[in-house]
Amino acid sequence: MSEVAPGTLQLDRHLIAIHVEDVTNRRLIEGLALQLNLTPRFIADEDLQDVPLMRQIAIIVADEAAATRYREAATMPQHPRDDLQPALVAVVPPTYAGQALLPKKTEDQPFDGILVLPQLPSVVLAQLSVILYAHRSIVRRIESAFDELHLNRLIFRSVTSGITVANASEPDFPLSYVNPAFEVMTGYTLEEILGKNCRFLQNDERDQPGSILIREAMENRRSTTAILRNFRKDGTAFWNELSMSPIFDKNGTLTHYVGIVNDVTARVAFEDALRESEKIAASGRLAASIAHEINNPLEVVTNLLYLARHEEDQQQKDEYLSHAEEELHRVSLLTTQSLRFYRQSSKPQAVRPSDLVSAVLALYLPKMTASGIAVERRDRTEASVVCMESEIRQVVSNLVRNAIDAMRGSSGRLLVRVRNSTFWPKGTQGVTMTVADTGTGMSKETRSKLFNAFYTTKESHGTGLG
């Protein structure tokens, strides 16, 4: 068999490339290769230096000097080390000290096998068989891993949700990968994003509630989901629902954070609109209740004035007018509390929680009295807190109204407690307000859906956004 001209070697996984100067040794290897169902080809130095070409074959058998040159060429920076490698076998003379087959390459023995020639053909055949079997086993595992990696990359590139990968082993968790869906969603390319922390999407809005959730989850190395207001490359804002999970290696070391990103702008807008409609509906129901409560004392005032107008006894007349004044005071109190209830907070302000609770209970007191509901107050603090007063008042109002609904049809007790408390994970001081009732309670199924948006047990009388 003659040598091929440089550059004319055909790519073949069943090919054995032979570069041995001794003709006898070369013919021996050729004959043994045929017995192993390999196609032998004699190659020149030029072919041996063509690393991409050599990586397409099963095994290279070359004199030690030539094998060393190939190894040096294959480890150059321009040739990735994670590609499939051929088995590299060095041919050495009998004086070579390390005659045993090597289970794996080392710095001292950088070859997959050593052939000491000349030697009995049966011994050489056995050595080549072992080398080839071991190499093919490794190749099968590598090809399987490459196929799985290729599938995973296809999945990453095909999903419509954005995917981010942040390196947890470097300071500030820089991004090391984003998929095409993330590029489309944000307008930034992979090259523009690499090495940046994903918070750059927030611009100057770094103190969002969602950001706090993300920071706390990363401090505790756990998964979380948060909604953040982000900005695209063109400056437009969108709401990003980020689900973030930590990735650990086999030693338990945190290596990466993987994020699943979804644009939920439309959903957030829809939920905001529903909340506004719920506020309007709640305002309407409360206004009707207030109107009813105001109408009752006004009718009493009308009757008392009529009696006073036709009463000749001055003492009795004064008594009628005094009762009328008391009823008007009651009307004034109701209207004052109503105005405070609907006053919207434009910024946080200091308020005493006990005063806030009193304002809410005053609105519902007539309804609770008519239903036979007894109210118990436990105000254990007079401290003030800084908050959005109207929003906290709305929360307390929702809780009280739900408690009344839960006790509808039967008398019961409503307990409202205000006390000092501490958020122990951070040592933050605050105030806890508790609303408890003796109503029907919630089933296990209802509790499991407690914080699901739009879930309600009130059918047409609720939206599930309270």
Side-chain angles (χ1 to χ4, degrees), residues 31-256:
L32 297 176
L34 293 173
Q35 295 184 47
L36 294 171
N37 294 319
L38 294 175
T39 303
R41 287 291 185 270
F42 301 136
I43 60 173
D45 279 334
E46 292 84 349
D47 291 308
L48 195 60
Q49 296 301 308
D50 191 341
V51 175
L53 182 65
M54 291 293 100
R55 285 182 175 175
Q56 303 302 315
I57 64 177
I59 184 171
I60 300 173
V61 179
D63 291 326
E64 182 183 10
T68 301
R69 290 196 298 272
Y70 170 77
R71 176 180 175 271
E72 293 173 350
T75 56
M76 295 294 289
Q78 63 267 30
H79 300 302
R81 299 293 297 275
D82 58 354
D83 199 358
L84 291 177
Q85 303 282 348
L88 182 59
V89 180
V91 175
V92 299
T95 55
Y96 188 79
Q99 298 184 19
L101 290 175
L102 303 176
K104 61 180 179 178
K105 292 193 288 282
T106 66
E107 290 300 321
D108 296 331
Q109 299 284 11
F111 309 117
D112 296 284
I114 301 293
L115 285 182
V116 181
L117 297 179
Q119 195 167 189
L120 291 175
S122 59
V123 176
V124 178
L125 178 62
Q127 292 178 338
L128 286 176
S129 298
V130 172
I131 295 171
L132 187 62
Y133 176 83
H135 177 69
R136 283 177 172 171
S137 177
I138 294 172
V139 167
R140 282 194 296 269
R141 291 199 298 269
I142 293 176
E143 287 182 334
S144 176
F146 278 172
D147 289 341
E148 183 178 356
L149 178 61
H150 180 65
L151 177 61
N152 289 338
R153 286 177 175 174
L154 288 178
I155 294 173
F156 270 43
R157 296 183 66 84
S158 300
V159 294
T160 56
S161 297
I163 298 177
T164 65
V165 179
N167 192 338
S169 61
E170 296 185 13
D172 205 30
F173 305 102
L175 291 171
S176 58
Y177 173 81
V178 297
N179 70 335
F182 185 88
E183 294 178 300
V184 173
M185 188 183 305
T186 64
Y188 290 97
T189 63
L190 174 62
E191 291 73 20
E192 293 174 312
I193 292 173
L194 289 180
K196 294 183 179 180
N197 185 287
C198 59
R199 79 171 70 91
F200 82 94
L201 291 172
Q202 301 172 29
N203 286 356
D204 295 329
E205 300 183 13
R206 302 289 176 86
D207 294 326
Q208 304 178 44
S211 299
I212 297 174
L213 289 177
I214 295 295
R215 286 196 294 269
E216 291 180 348
M218 296 180 74
E219 288 175 2
N220 296 285
R221 306 201 306 176
R222 58 176 175 82
S223 301
T224 191
T225 298
I227 295 181
L228 303 165
R229 178 177 163 88
N230 286 167
F231 295 87
R232 299 184 177 89
K233 186 177 180 179
D234 61 8
T236 58
F238 71 98
W239 288 101
N240 166 22
E241 183 182 63
L242 172 63
S243 298
M244 184 191 68
S245 300
I247 302 297
F248 301 91
D249 63 15
K250 62 181 180 181
N251 298 318
T253 302
L254 176 65
T255 60
H256 296 84

Side-chain angles (χ1 to χ4, degrees), residues 356-366 368 375-377 396 400 414 416:
L356 189 149
V357 170
S358 297
V360 173
L361 291 179
L363 294 175
Y364 289 102
L365 184 60
M368 290 187 289
V375 180
E376 298 182 18
R377 292 284 302 276
V396 177
V400 171
L414 175 68
V416 183

Side-chain angles (χ1 to χ4, degrees), residues 294-336:
I294 290 177
N295 186 60
N296 288 337
L298 286 180
E299 287 183 355
V300 173
V301 169
T302 300
N303 293 332
L304 289 171
L305 291 177
Y306 175 83
L307 293 174
R309 186 178 297 112
H310 296 85
E311 180 61 54
E312 295 182 356
D313 184 0
Q314 186 61 40
Q315 183 178 357
Q316 185 65 42
K317 180 181 295 187
D318 291 342
E319 186 175 342
Y320 287 149
L321 292 175
S322 177
H323 286 317
E325 186 178 9
E326 291 177 0
E327 293 298 322
L328 287 175
H329 179 71
R330 178 183 171 193
V331 171
S332 175
L333 179 62
L334 284 171
T335 55
T336 300

